[in-house]
Amino acid sequence: MRLKNLSIKGFKSFANDTLINFEEDVIGIVGPNGSGKSNIVDAVRWVLGEQSSRELRLDQMSSVIFNGTKQRKPGGLAEVTLTFDNTRNVLPTEYATVSITRRLYRSGESEYLLNGVTCRRKDITSLFLDTGIGSNSYAIIALGMVDDILSDKDNARLRMFEQAAGISKYKVRKRETLNKLKHTTEDLDRVEDLLFEIEGQLKNLEKQARRAQRFFELKNKYKALSADLARYRVASIRERQRDLDQKLEGEQDRYRTQETAIRKLEAELEAGKKANLDKEKALSDRQKAVNELVGRVRGLENEKRMAQQRLQFVKQNRSRVSEDIQQAVDKLEQLHLEVGRYRVDVEQEHSRQDELEQHFKAAASELESVRQKHGKLKRELEEIIQQQQHWERELFELEKQKAVNTNRIESNELELGRYRGEVQERRTAIAEIEQQMADLNAREKAQRKTLQDLEQAEEKRKQQVEDLQHALEEARQDMARVNRDLDARRNEYQLTKSMIENLEGFPESIRFLSQHKGWGKDVPLLSDLIYVEEAYRIAIENYLEPYLNYYVVANLDEANRAIALLSKSQKGKAHFFLLDRFSDYEPPMALLPEATMAMELVQTDPPYQKLVSYLLEGVVVTEEEDLAGLEEGAPQVTFLSKNGRFIRRRFSVSGGSLGLFEGKKIGRKKNLEQLENAIEKSERPEQKLSSRYYQLKDELARIQADTREEELFEARQALNQLEQQRVSLSTRLENFESFVQDVEQKMAALLEAISHFEQENRRIDASLAEKRKGLAEVKDRIAHMDESYREAAEQLSEASTAYNQQHIEYVRQQNKVSSLERELSFREKQQTETEAALEKNRSTLDQSGEEIRRIQEEQGRLGEQKVKAYPAP
């Protein structure tokens, strides 16, 4: 069985329909992180029936559907399809190509398909149960599974070995069987409970049955009496019906008489209504004419009132415009006077501004001259002051350094006295420690001799233990090797036996025929008739693979009976070799006499010799690993590599890697007999090795019990205590000596520091005298410069005051001139606007006179129309 391709659509990051073909033996899928490589493994596990979202690295199963991006909408379903090549009939189905599909819709619905046909998840898991492929099998290695196997997390290593050995399927079947037994037991318990309850209810049901029978008897009697009663009631009702029919005919005659009278009265009423309608129509026409006249009169009166209101408004507007004209004339005369006055004032203030500007420039020139002189004196004074500050800082630093040095000298002298006392105390302690160390060395030497004797005795015992352990390990390894070989043979025996009994790896049709009572019990398969040595077994099995599932029958009648059974039961197809057809077959001569013919390597019973010769006709097993090195002289020869890597026919070549279970199908029954003999031979040396192993183990336990570890421990503990005391005294001695050396070095450093500080103080005294002299000279220069600087500062203050006063007057004059110019501009603008408004009002006054005349004429016309609207009576 081989994986052909994988189709993914809408699964996780695969939004588009993606098809991956597995045409080579090794396929690599590469890409950067996050590109979806792990999603391919998840897709394979998912389509094989994985139900755990955690194993698929999801929070919930619906997250497998493509969730969309900024440019793409989310998908509606996730679909994955796996396609397998089943030409070797590994899967128990007659199809050469098997496709399984799983779909999950966003609505939550899901479905499985097998070759396009809807099926259950259990159908798919059952189909792949014997193949080692499944959602949780080790044929699919996902992220983290290698670490789980190496660390044996949750018995991962055991599960992998069970799957590789084909045991896991039996465990699954065992678990399913146990579950079915459990459910059956529960159902039986429930049945017993139901039987107990039913037995208690049977008596009640019997009583109810008797009551029901009595009920039906009474019911039948009731029906008979009810029928008699109904017939009596029907007779009385019919009598009453005849009386009522007679009364109904009399009432109907009276009804017809009354109906004729009503129709006459209705005709008279209709004639009266018609006369009234003519009168109402004439009245309506006259009322309509009156309403039209009243409407016209009211419209004329409204127009007259509107004309009166317009006349009143025009007169009021004419009066207001006349007042505005008079006010505009008065205001225009006043503006003429104000504009003339402002122009005179502006000319006078401009002259005043020019005069103040000359005074302001002279004051600014004087101020600049005084500032330059003042600045020069200020810079000279600042330089001298900086020199004074520099001298004072240097004096302060020297005096501070002298005080610090004096304090250090006093502190060092005190510390020097303390060090001298401590050195004397440590020298006395050193003498006492040296005496204690001499005593400890003598005691330690004696204890070390005792410990050495005990260690030699213990070392001899340990050597004996080590020799026994080595011998025991060799015996254990031999026994383990024999047991492993024996277990391997037993496991292989059980596995082979199970495969023979259950026909593992064979189609359902083969299993059906083999288990059928009427046919197939003694009919052999080709794979059971031949036996090949293990070195050539894979090569022969690969070549005969298409025929291993064939039954070998005596004649065509047996084959026909089997075909009829398969057709009737719908169990697929089977293939047959007919032995009677090979009676006249003679194998040809070997084309390559020096080559190893495949027929020479196969063992089979005489009745089947010709059949096997026919199947292996012209087949040669070669040691060559290179196809190019094979002979070309025999075109009818088929070459098989000894290791099963390739098969070269005349016009084709096939080959590749070898599967784990290849070579296990051919000669199973012969192999089972050999395994049984090998197991019997391996059990005898296993018993001998086990007896020797336990003898060595008892001897080792005896020697291990005779130990002197306790005496050694006590001796070592005593020696360690002596060594600890010696180390402690040695450490104290070294600390004291190191302390004395450090203190002596510190005392020498202190004496040197005291001498250095005294020399430094003498140098500082000389520098202080020189600095004080320079400071006195600088102070004299400052006193002389201070008087000249004060005079320059007074001159600068006076010049600055005069400059500021002139500047203020000049600015005020500028503001005043600007204010007068703005007022003049405003008055001129008002004058222009007033003249325009006056002209506009005069035009409005003329228009209002015309409007008054037009309104008066309209009022006269409306009065005439109103008189005409009312006709003479």
Side-chain angles (χ1 to χ4, degrees):
M1 184 178 66
R2 182 187 183 93
L3 178 62
K4 293 180 65 176
N5 58 62
L6 170 66
S7 175
I8 306 174
K9 180 180 180 182
F11 182 85
K12 285 192 174 181
S13 58
F14 294 91
N16 298 324
D17 194 355
T18 304
L19 179 64
I20 303 173
N21 293 312
F22 299 95
E23 299 175 351
E24 303 295 335
D25 293 338
V26 179
I27 301 295
I29 299 175
V30 299
N33 291 338
S35 61
K37 301 186 296 299
S38 299
N39 290 343
I40 295 176
V41 179
D42 293 342
V44 175
R45 295 181 65 135
W46 185 70
V47 73
L48 288 173
E50 181 60 61
Q51 296 295 96
S52 174
S53 59
R54 183 178 64 84
E55 295 295 335
L56 299 176
R57 303 175 293 124
L58 300 170
D59 54 351
Q60 56 185 358
M61 187 58 71
S62 61
S63 299
V64 300
I65 303 174
F66 176 66
N67 204 26
T69 62
K70 292 182 179 179
Q71 292 82 20
R72 188 160 189 161
K73 295 181 180 179
L77 81 155
E79 180 179 345
V80 179
T81 301
L82 276 180
T83 303
F84 293 93
D85 183 3
N86 190 36
T87 55
R88 295 188 178 183
N89 293 329
V90 175
L91 294 175
T93 178
E94 59 187 18
Y95 296 103
T97 301
V98 178
S99 297
I100 59 172
T101 304
R102 184 177 180 181
R103 295 172 182 165
L104 177 63
Y105 298 91
R106 193 168 291 278
S107 61
E109 299 175 355
S110 64
E111 60 181 351
Y112 292 88
L113 293 93
L114 183 60
N115 281 355
V117 179
T118 304
C119 64
R120 303 172 300 173
R121 175 176 175 269
K122 184 178 180 181
D123 298 332
I124 293 177
T125 55
S126 300
L127 181 66
F128 289 93
L129 185 62
D130 298 342
T131 62
I133 297 178
S135 62
N136 58 347
S137 71
Y138 287 91
I140 304 169
I141 304 298
L143 294 176
M145 290 184 66
V146 176
D147 293 337
D148 293 344
I149 294 171
L150 294 177
S151 61
D152 197 16
K153 182 179 180 182
D154 298 333
N155 292 326
R157 200 176 301 163
L158 176 61
R159 291 200 304 272
M160 182 184 70
F161 291 151
E162 289 177 349
Q163 289 182 5
I167 300 173
S168 59
K169 59 185 178 182
Y170 300 110
K171 287 194 170 184
V172 172
R173 291 174 180 173
K174 177 183 177 182
R175 185 169 59 252
E176 292 177 352
T177 305
L178 290 175
N179 289 333
K180 289 180 180 178
L181 289 174
K182 181 181 177 182
H183 294 325
T184 304
T185 304
E186 292 175 354
D187 293 340
L188 288 174
D189 294 339
R190 179 60 180 162
V191 168
E192 291 179 357
D193 295 338
L194 291 174
L195 288 174
F196 178 76
E197 293 178 0
I198 290 170
E199 287 176 358
Q201 295 176 359
L202 282 176
K203 295 181 180 179
N204 294 330
L205 291 174
E206 290 175 356
K207 293 179 181 179
Q208 292 177 8
R210 288 194 296 270
R211 291 176 183 173
Q213 186 177 3
R214 177 62 177 165
F215 168 76
F216 286 122
E217 292 175 355
L218 294 175
K219 185 176 181 181
N220 292 332
K221 188 176 180 181
Y222 171 75
K223 285 183 178 179
L225 295 175
S226 297
D228 295 339
L229 180 61
R231 284 193 292 271
Y232 172 73
R233 288 181 177 177
V234 168
S236 62
I237 289 172
R238 286 177 177 173
E239 185 65 28
R240 291 179 58 194
Q241 183 180 7
R242 283 193 293 271
D243 297 339
L244 291 174
D245 288 340
Q246 293 176 1
K247 291 180 180 180
L248 180 60
E249 289 177 358
E251 293 296 330
Q252 285 179 350
D253 293 338
R254 290 178 57 196
Y255 171 75
R256 294 188 189 96
T257 304
Q258 295 292 333
E259 187 177 5
T260 303
I262 289 171
R263 287 178 179 175
K264 291 180 179 179
L265 293 174
E266 286 178 353
E268 294 176 358
L269 179 61
E270 286 294 329
K273 284 182 178 180
K274 187 175 181 181
N276 289 334
L277 284 175
D278 294 338
K279 294 178 181 179
E280 288 177 357
K281 185 176 180 181
L283 178 63
S284 176
D285 292 340
R286 293 180 182 179
Q287 186 67 35
K288 185 176 180 181
V290 171
N291 291 337
E292 288 178 358
L293 292 174
V294 171
R296 288 178 59 193
V297 170
R298 289 178 179 174
L300 293 174
E301 289 178 350
N302 289 334
E303 290 179 2
K304 184 177 181 180
R305 284 196 297 271
M306 290 296 294
Q308 185 66 30
Q309 290 176 1
R310 285 169 58 196
L311 177 62
Q312 185 177 0
F313 173 74
V314 170
K315 288 181 178 179
Q316 291 176 356
N317 192 23
R318 180 179 178 82
S319 175
R320 181 178 58 76
V321 170
S322 299
E323 293 177 358
D324 289 343
I325 291 172
Q326 185 60 39
Q327 291 177 0
V329 171
D330 297 338
K331 184 177 181 181
L332 192 59
E333 292 177 356
Q334 184 180 359
L335 288 173
H336 279 299
L337 296 175
E338 290 178 355
V339 168
R341 186 172 68 253
Y342 276 115
R343 285 176 179 170
V344 173
D345 292 341
V346 168
E347 292 177 358
Q348 292 177 355
E349 295 302 329
H350 270 299
S351 301
R352 174 66 177 166
Q353 181 180 352
D354 294 339
E355 182 180 353
L356 289 174
E357 185 177 4
Q358 293 177 0
H359 292 306
F360 169 69
K361 290 181 179 179
S365 177
E366 180 66 21
L367 176 63
E368 185 63 26
S369 175
V370 173
R371 278 180 177 171
Q372 291 178 358
K373 181 179 178 182
H374 177 268
K376 182 178 180 181
L377 291 173
K378 184 178 180 181
R379 285 193 297 273
E380 292 176 356
L381 181 61
E382 287 177 351
E383 291 176 359
I384 297 172
I385 290 173
Q386 288 177 359
Q387 290 180 2
Q388 178 188 2
Q389 292 175 352
H390 175 70
W391 288 107
E392 288 176 348
R393 282 195 300 272
E394 290 183 350
L395 281 172
F396 173 74
E397 293 294 332
L398 290 172
E399 290 175 351
K400 183 175 72 172
Q401 186 64 36
K402 181 179 179 182
V404 169
N405 291 341
T406 302
N407 291 334
R408 288 178 177 175
I409 291 171
E410 293 175 355
S411 175
N412 290 341
E413 288 176 349
L414 292 174
E415 192 170 359
L416 191 61
R418 182 172 59 82
Y419 283 159
R420 286 170 181 162
E422 291 179 353
V423 168
Q424 185 62 33
E425 293 177 359
R426 296 297 189 278
R427 290 188 186 280
T428 303
I430 288 172
E432 295 176 356
I433 292 172
E434 288 176 348
Q435 181 62 35
Q436 294 176 3
M437 286 191 65
D439 298 338
L440 279 175
N441 287 333
R443 292 168 57 192
E444 183 181 355
K445 185 176 180 182
Q447 185 65 31
R448 197 176 293 279
K449 180 67 171 60
T450 303
L451 180 61
Q452 188 175 4
D453 295 339
L454 290 172
E455 286 178 345
Q456 289 177 356
E458 182 65 18
E459 187 67 27
K460 184 178 179 181
R461 187 190 67 83
K462 287 183 177 180
Q463 184 62 38
Q464 294 177 353
V465 171
E466 186 176 351
D467 293 341
L468 285 173
Q469 286 178 342
H470 182 67
L472 187 65
E473 180 63 22
E474 289 180 353
R476 188 188 65 78
Q477 290 179 356
D478 293 339
M479 189 169 63
R481 177 176 51 78
V482 172
N483 285 333
R484 281 198 302 272
D485 183 59
L486 187 59
D487 290 341
R489 293 178 186 275
R490 286 171 178 169
N491 291 333
E492 187 176 358
Y493 176 81
Q494 295 295 334
L495 180 61
T496 306
K497 185 178 179 181
S498 174
M499 292 174 71
I500 292 173
E501 292 175 352
N502 298 324
L503 293 173
E504 295 293 339
F506 289 93
E508 185 181 3
S509 58
I510 303 298
R511 290 200 291 269
F512 171 76
L513 291 175
S514 298
Q515 295 171 2
H516 197 275
K517 296 180 180 180
W519 192 95
K521 187 174 183 181
D522 298 326
V523 179
L525 290 166
L526 178 65
S527 60
D528 296 332
L529 295 177
I530 58 178
Y531 179 77
V532 184
E533 295 181 2
E534 188 173 358
Y536 301 95
R537 190 175 297 166
I538 296 177
I540 300 300
E541 180 178 311
N542 286 340
Y543 179 75
L544 295 177
E545 175 68 24
Y547 310 108
L548 293 179
N549 295 342
Y550 279 47
Y551 275 108
V552 180
V553 296
N555 48 48
L556 185 60
D557 293 337
E558 291 187 10
N560 282 332
R561 286 198 296 117
I563 292 172
L565 288 173
L566 290 174
S567 299
K568 182 178 180 181
S569 302
Q570 294 294 317
K571 292 295 183 179
K573 298 178 180 179
H575 308 280
F576 306 90
F577 284 120
L578 308 179
L579 279 180
D580 57 351
R581 301 299 175 90
F582 291 93
S583 58
D584 299 331
Y585 172 77
E586 292 296 334
M589 296 295 293
L591 299 178
L592 298 174
E594 69 280 3
T596 303
M597 301 303 294
M599 187 59 200
E600 299 173 0
L601 306 174
V602 176
Q603 302 175 17
T604 185
D605 295 335
Y608 310 107
Q609 192 74 32
K610 292 184 178 181
L611 168 62
V612 177
S613 299
Y614 170 76
L615 294 176
L616 297 177
E617 180 180 334
V619 179
V620 175
V621 180
T622 178
E623 301 282 346
E624 288 287 339
E625 295 292 332
D626 187 7
L627 288 169
L630 298 178
E631 298 182 11
E632 297 290 345
Q636 302 299 326
V637 175
T638 298
F639 290 96
L640 309 181
S641 66
K642 181 179 178 181
N643 58 7
R645 193 174 67 86
F646 65 83
I647 300 174
R648 205 208 74 174
R649 296 180 174 85
R650 182 180 181 184
F651 299 108
S652 65
V653 175
S654 61
S657 62
L658 301 177
L660 183 64
F661 294 99
E662 291 195 15
K664 304 295 183 182
K665 196 173 182 180
I666 194 170
R668 290 179 177 178
K669 291 186 178 180
K670 294 283 186 182
N671 190 31
L672 189 66
E673 296 174 359
Q674 294 184 0
L675 285 173
E676 188 174 5
N677 296 331
I679 290 171
E680 292 178 357
K681 292 179 182 179
S682 300
E683 286 177 347
R684 289 191 291 273
E686 190 271 337
Q687 294 174 356
K688 294 179 180 179
L689 288 173
S690 178
S691 176
R692 182 171 178 272
Y693 174 79
Y694 286 110
Q695 290 177 358
L696 291 173
K697 191 172 183 181
D698 294 339
E699 182 67 17
L700 177 62
R702 185 185 62 78
I703 295 176
Q704 285 179 339
D706 186 17
T707 180
R708 295 185 178 181
E709 290 292 337
E710 187 174 356
E711 296 178 7
L712 276 172
F713 176 75
E714 293 176 354
R716 285 176 183 149
Q717 192 172 15
L719 181 61
N720 289 335
Q721 291 177 355
L722 293 174
E723 288 178 349
Q724 289 175 1
Q725 293 177 7
R726 179 175 58 79
V727 171
S728 176
L729 291 175
S730 177
T731 303
R732 288 181 62 193
L733 180 61
E734 290 177 359
N735 290 337
F736 286 165
E737 290 177 349
S738 176
F739 178 78
V740 170
Q741 291 177 1
D742 293 341
V743 170
E744 288 177 350
Q745 292 177 0
K746 289 180 181 179
M747 290 172 64
L750 288 173
L751 291 173
E752 185 179 354
I754 290 171
S755 174
H756 173 71
F757 289 144
E758 289 176 347
Q759 292 178 2
E760 185 71 18
N761 281 347
R762 288 194 292 272
R763 184 185 62 78
I764 289 172
D765 290 338
S767 297
L768 282 173
E770 182 180 353
K771 299 295 181 183
R772 289 191 181 106
K773 183 178 179 182
L775 182 61
E777 293 177 356
V778 169
K779 288 182 178 180
D780 292 339
R781 291 179 61 191
I782 289 174
H784 176 70
M785 290 292 295
D786 190 35
E787 183 177 357
S788 300
Y789 181 74
R790 282 197 299 272
E791 292 177 358
E794 290 176 359
Q795 293 177 1
L796 178 61
S797 178
E798 292 175 359
S800 178
T801 302
Y803 170 78
N804 290 336
Q805 184 64 33
Q806 291 295 331
H807 183 261
I808 290 170
E809 291 180 359
Y810 177 67
V811 170
R812 286 177 179 173
Q813 185 62 30
Q814 282 183 332
N815 292 336
K816 185 176 181 181
V817 171
S818 298
S819 177
L820 289 173
E821 288 177 348
R822 284 195 299 273
E823 289 292 334
L824 177 60
S825 176
F826 177 70
R827 294 298 187 276
E828 290 176 347
K829 184 178 180 181
Q830 279 188 335
Q831 183 179 358
T832 303
E833 291 176 352
T834 304
E835 289 175 352
L838 180 60
E839 186 64 28
K840 182 178 180 181
N841 288 334
R842 286 173 178 170
S843 175
T844 302
L845 186 63
D846 295 338
Q847 292 176 0
S848 61
E850 292 293 332
E851 184 72 17
I852 290 170
R853 286 193 298 272
R854 189 170 60 254
I855 291 170
Q856 288 176 349
E857 292 176 356
E858 186 177 356
Q859 284 180 344
R861 182 179 54 79
L862 290 174
E864 294 175 356
Q865 290 181 357
K866 182 178 180 182
V867 173
K868 292 179 181 180
Y870 287 102

